[in-house]
Amino acid sequence: TIRGARNAWQSLRLFSLVALVAALMGVAAWAFLTCLDAVTGFREAHLICFALLPAVGVFTAWLYRRYGKDAARGNNLVIDCTVSGRHIPPVMAPFTFVCSVATHLAGGSAGREGTAVQIGGTIADAVSRLFKLDEYDHQDLLMAGISAAFGGVFGTPLAGAFFGMEMCFVGKLQYRAGVYCLLASFVGDAVTTALGAPRESYDIGMVPQLVPSSLAFAVLAAVVFGIAARMFSGAIRVVKRFYAAHITNYVVAALVGAFVVLGTYVVFGLYDYGGLSSWLVEAGFTGTATPVDALLKLAMTALTLGAGFQGGEVTPIFGIGASLGGWLGAALGYSLGVTPAFGAALGMVGVFGSALNVPMTTILLGVDLFGGLAAPYFVIVSFVSYLVAGHRGVYPAQRIVTPKW
Amino acid sequence: TIRGARNAWQSLRLFSLVALVAALMGVAAWAFLTCLDAVTGFREAHLICFALLPAVGVFTAWLYRRYGKDAARGNNLVIDCTVSGRHIPPVMAPFTFVCSVATHLAGGSAGREGTAVQIGGTIADAVSRLFKLDEYDHQDLLMAGISAAFGGVFGTPLAGAFFGMEMCFVGKLQYRAGVYCLLASFVGDAVTTALGAPRESYDIGMVPQLVPSSLAFAVLAAVVFGIAARMFSGAIRVVKRFYAAHITNYVVAALVGAFVVLGTYVVFGLYDYGGLSSWLVEAGFTGTATPVDALLKLAMTALTLGAGFQGGEVTPIFGIGASLGGWLGAALGYSLGVTPAFGAALGMVGVFGSALNVPMTTILLGVDLFGGLAAPYFVIVSFVSYLVAGHRGVYPAQRIVTPKW
């Protein structure tokens, strides 16, 4: 076998390095979540923070252009370095940490997993470099770093384990890294939780019996989630391309991008759609959010991330998915026997999985967040929305190993 | 993309064909389970049935040699035909149905999934041939047929869906066939259940909290399960090779093989280890089975399947896994806070998944049978036992896509 030469000592060494990376990532995730919590609270109390958007935009653009090498490629660079064995610039972790916190302070609409994955990847890469790991160990360690990041930042150890195995590819799960990713995700989550990081929790409520009407709801909803995911990743791409094509000076581009975000907030009074917008997920679960909420969150996130602000995609996606699903549940619930909370839960996992092309992670995320009773629905929603969303998700660097159709 | 040329009409056609295959398979699974129930009841009431072993052995060998082409390769042939696009001889389905029922009537120690998968594969292949499907549709339809068979015969729709996507490979999940396998497995299960097929159910009891001691139990148990899986598939191989190497005449070989099984039963009074041995699973859950039970069931199954009797591997594996796991739970339970039922549940899925090299199916099988509360344990057991069991499972035809280490 390919790694036949590797002996037990090397495996044990890799296990220890995985645990080390995961523990470090756990601390980093705790620090990041705590900072986010602080700046979000501060911004919600001081609306003036939004005025920082242009400064943060320009600072981010300048920092990455001047010192970041290709770190601005974010998770795409992590994917490339994991698959190819190249190294991640060490500045990636501190840059994305600082700039993501700044994004949230200034009310940019963004998430957390991008930041976490880049920190996890950077830590893993630094350790890999230090111990001169070979190509295979390097890949496994980086995947484990991704798992620790996801498990730690979202408090979802099973989903985290699969995310590391799945994120770099479309249509492939890297089984080989399985035990390392599993260990990393559990350790990352345990450390982050033990340090007292703030955690959200949601209640799926009553899970409907598997009957034709509830199955029909799941399939219909999954199609909607897949389309939303497609629109989400497409919108970010369009905004990014537009600025790149029409403005040659990068400082001007960042400034224009930031002013567009700021202007949209001010003109339409959309401040609630800035930052993480955790309220949106809650509104989805009570069935009080609408597709307009989903669309506005999608637009603000595309404008923010498309303009080059740091942050992630997943938390906005949770808000979009929960609003859409909760609305579907409220609209069709009476006739199909489902609740808004159930629809919102499916929406969270469905839009997530199809936007990121990670169908197995999707299923386990559902189990992590809402327990296994609804597992059949998570499986159905995952597979159907995965197909509907097409091949191009939020990470263009993903290697298409098995085309979807 | 590879299948870019395929239009919506073709996809819809394939969906209809998948539903058709799954419905037919559901009926076949019901018929098979009903026959098994009848012959098992009859044999348990009439010990003399064991005397049929030599006749059944010789009949099976003659039938397959004379009319079966390479159908005697069983699931390995289904794997080859799925991956390569070749066709399955139509006689495979009736032959394995009749000969498997005969095996169980005569008390051979065997299971059910082999029979079901071969029937499902044959039905799917016949439909594929009739509609002249291209290479891709052929593969998807055969995988769906495998899913319908597994979902139908075990009443586990989620595990069935993944089994079709996973059975043909080591270290690969065929995502592309996902929705087809999902549909097939649910339809197969629904039809089989609606027709009133006999179903087993087991209770995992109390699921321990995820603490270091219960984690340690899961990892230790997974190592034991992986070793058991390795011994199981190795033992069948050894018996098969022994007869092939030492007896040139195939009728004599079958006769000797059958007499060895019969002799072992009679001399050691092991009649309880014949057939499905459903009692063994129950004994595992109460913690009253021992490693000796597991070893005896393993030996009888290896002697039976190695001698060329038809049937499957999974139900004996469930018995072996439940006895081992239940015994571990009883032996270590007091100190590690786990119960025999919990250990038995882990054992069922752990030995299954690592003997068949299907780690994702393993996790979903646990969720299907025991609910999602224990999902973290199923994930851990699946990954660890998968690694321990090595590359050669009970299906040597599996394509090794990603080596385990």
Side-chain angles (χ1 to χ4, degrees):
Chain A
T1 68
I2 294 178
R3 303 213 291 181
R6 177 195 253 178
N7 56 30
W9 157 245
Q10 275 176 306
S11 294
L12 207 67
R13 185 180 71 151
L14 189 51
F15 259 107
S16 320
L17 296 182
V18 164
L20 172 70
V21 166
L24 292 173
M25 181 64 226
V27 176
W30 162 79
F32 179 55
L33 290 175
T34 305
C35 289
L36 272 195
D37 218 39
V39 300
T40 300
F42 186 83
R43 189 196 68 236
E44 283 171 357
H46 305 84
L47 202 63
I48 191 69
C49 289
F50 281 92
L52 291 171
L53 275 168
V56 171
V58 170
F59 172 73
T60 301
W62 170 80
L63 189 67
Y64 276 85
R65 177 65 65 111
R66 184 80 179 79
Y67 301 105
K69 295 180 188 164
D70 43 1
R73 293 187 56 226
N75 283 11
N76 291 306
L77 183 66
V78 175
I79 291 173
D80 280 346
C81 292
T82 302
V83 174
S84 72
R86 281 194 296 131
H87 286 295
I88 295 176
V91 294
M92 185 176 227
F95 280 18
T96 193
F97 189 112
V98 170
C99 293
S100 296
V101 171
T103 300
H104 283 275
L105 175 65
S109 174
R112 302 171 286 191
E113 106 295 343
T115 317
V117 164
Q118 291 171 47
I119 296 174
T122 310
I123 295 174
D125 189 89
V127 171
S128 161
R129 217 189 288 230
L130 192 64
F131 287 85
K132 299 188 172 50
L133 297 190
D134 69 22
E135 188 187 345
Y136 296 103
D137 286 356
H138 174 82
Q139 190 175 105
D140 291 354
L141 190 63
L142 258 69
M143 288 184 172
I146 294 168
S147 283
F150 194 97
V153 84
F154 292 115
T156 54
L158 298 181
F162 280 83
F163 193 68
M165 299 162 68
E166 207 170 27
M167 180 183 120
C168 299
F169 314 100
V170 175
K172 174 176 172 176
L173 193 64
Q174 181 51 287
Y175 285 84
R176 196 190 65 211
V179 280
Y180 302 116
C181 289
L182 191 63
L183 175 69
S185 186
F186 270 88
V187 170
D189 172 44
V191 170
T192 312
T193 305
L195 291 172
R199 294 283 196 214
E200 299 93 14
S201 78
Y202 316 100
D203 185 0
I204 193 174
M206 194 204 67
V207 175
Q209 276 222 292
L210 263 184
V211 290
S213 64
S214 59
L215 278 173
F217 175 80
V219 172
L220 175 75
V223 172
V224 173
F225 302 151
I227 294 171
R230 207 166 177 148
M231 288 171 60
F232 180 81
S233 41
I236 297 176
R237 227 169 10 239
V238 164
V239 173
K240 214 167 250 177
R241 283 214 198 113
F242 181 86
Y243 290 135
H246 292 89
I247 310 174
T248 41
N249 183 296
Y250 79 93
V251 176
V252 176
L255 208 56
V256 170
F259 269 109
V260 168
V261 177
L262 180 57
T264 317
Y265 280 135
V266 174
V267 172
F268 299 101
L270 297 177
Y271 304 105
D272 283 350
Y273 298 89
L276 296 169
S277 309
S278 312
W279 65 273
L280 193 52
V281 176
E282 284 154 36
F285 275 77
T286 56
T288 52
T290 67
V292 175
D293 289 318
L295 202 65
L296 290 175
K297 186 66 188 168
L298 187 155
M300 292 319 301
T301 309
L303 289 177
T304 302
L305 296 179
F309 284 94
Q310 283 290 304
E313 290 88 1
V314 171
T315 312
I317 283 174
F318 282 170
I320 294 166
S323 341
L324 277 179
W327 173 77
L328 281 173
L332 303 172
Y334 183 72
S335 50
L336 295 178
V338 298
T339 62
F342 177 71
L346 296 191
M348 272 180 78
V349 300
V351 180
F352 161 80
S354 51
L356 274 67
N357 281 324
V358 289
M360 296 302 113
T361 307
T362 308
I363 297 167
L364 277 299
L365 180 70
V367 173
D368 269 331
L369 292 176
F370 308 111
L373 201 57
Y377 294 102
F378 299 142
V379 174
I380 293 166
V381 166
S382 170
F383 278 63
V384 174
S385 62
Y386 174 76
L387 277 190
V388 171
H391 291 88
R392 304 189 58 192
V394 293
Y395 307 139
Q398 283 179 325
R399 289 355 185 214
I400 299 180
V401 177
T402 317
K404 295 185 184 183
W405 55 73
Chain B
T1 66
I2 294 178
R3 304 212 291 180
R6 176 195 254 181
N7 56 30
W9 157 245
Q10 275 175 307
S11 294
L12 207 67
R13 185 180 71 152
L14 188 53
F15 259 107
S16 319
L17 297 182
V18 164
L20 171 70
V21 166
L24 292 173
M25 181 63 225
V27 176
W30 162 78
F32 178 55
L33 290 175
T34 306
C35 288
L36 272 195
D37 218 39
V39 300
T40 300
F42 187 83
R43 187 196 70 236
E44 284 172 356
H46 305 85
L47 202 63
I48 191 70
C49 289
F50 281 92
L52 292 170
L53 274 168
V56 170
V58 170
F59 172 74
T60 301
W62 170 80
L63 188 69
Y64 275 85
R65 176 65 65 113
R66 184 81 179 76
Y67 301 104
K69 296 179 187 165
D70 42 3
R73 292 188 55 226
N75 282 11
N76 290 306
L77 183 66
V78 175
I79 291 172
D80 280 346
C81 292
T82 302
V83 174
S84 72
R86 281 193 297 130
H87 286 294
I88 296 176
V91 295
M92 185 176 228
F95 280 18
T96 192
F97 190 113
V98 169
C99 294
S100 295
V101 171
T103 300
H104 283 277
L105 175 65
S109 174
R112 302 170 288 190
E113 106 295 342
T115 316
V117 164
Q118 291 170 46
I119 296 174
T122 309
I123 294 174
D125 189 90
V127 170
S128 162
R129 217 189 288 229
L130 192 64
F131 288 86
K132 299 186 171 49
L133 297 189
D134 69 22
E135 188 187 344
Y136 296 104
D137 286 356
H138 174 82
Q139 190 176 103
D140 291 354
L141 190 63
L142 258 69
M143 288 182 173
I146 294 168
S147 284
F150 194 97
V153 84
F154 291 115
T156 55
L158 298 180
F162 280 83
F163 192 68
M165 300 163 67
E166 206 169 31
M167 180 184 118
C168 300
F169 314 100
V170 175
K172 173 175 173 176
L173 192 64
Q174 181 51 288
Y175 285 85
R176 197 189 65 211
V179 280
Y180 302 116
C181 289
L182 190 62
L183 175 69
S185 186
F186 270 88
V187 170
D189 171 44
V191 170
T192 311
T193 305
L195 291 172
R199 295 282 196 215
E200 300 91 15
S201 78
Y202 316 99
D203 185 1
I204 193 174
M206 195 204 65
V207 175
Q209 277 222 291
L210 263 184
V211 291
S213 64
S214 59
L215 278 173
F217 175 80
V219 171
L220 174 74
V223 172
V224 174
F225 302 150
I227 294 171
R230 207 167 178 147
M231 287 170 60
F232 180 81
S233 40
I236 297 177
R237 239 181 347 252
V238 164
V239 173
K240 214 167 251 176
R241 284 216 197 111
F242 181 85
Y243 290 135
H246 291 90
I247 311 175
T248 42
N249 182 297
Y250 78 94
V251 176
V252 177
L255 210 57
V256 170
F259 269 110
V260 168
V261 177
L262 180 58
T264 317
Y265 279 136
V266 174
V267 171
F268 299 101
L270 297 177
Y271 303 105
D272 283 349
Y273 298 89
L276 295 169
S277 309
S278 312
W279 65 271
L280 193 53
V281 176
E282 284 154 35
F285 274 77
T286 56
T288 52
T290 67
V292 176
D293 288 318
L295 202 65
L296 291 175
K297 185 67 189 166
L298 188 155
M300 292 319 300
T301 310
L303 289 177
T304 301
L305 296 178
F309 284 93
Q310 284 290 304
E313 290 87 2
V314 171
T315 312
I317 283 174
F318 283 170
I320 294 165
S323 341
L324 278 179
W327 173 76
L328 281 173
L332 303 172
Y334 183 71
S335 49
L336 295 177
V338 297
T339 62
F342 178 71
L346 296 190
M348 271 180 80
V349 300
V351 180
F352 161 80
S354 52
L356 273 68
N357 280 324
V358 289
M360 297 301 114
T361 306
T362 308
I363 297 166
L364 276 300
L365 180 70
V367 173
D368 269 331
L369 292 176
F370 308 110
L373 201 57
Y377 294 102
F378 299 141
V379 174
I380 294 166
V381 166
S382 170
F383 278 63
V384 174
S385 62
Y386 175 75
L387 278 190
V388 171
H391 291 87
R392 305 189 60 192
V394 293
Y395 308 138
Q398 283 180 323
R399 280 19 176 199
I400 298 179
V401 177
T402 317
K404 295 186 183 183
W405 55 74

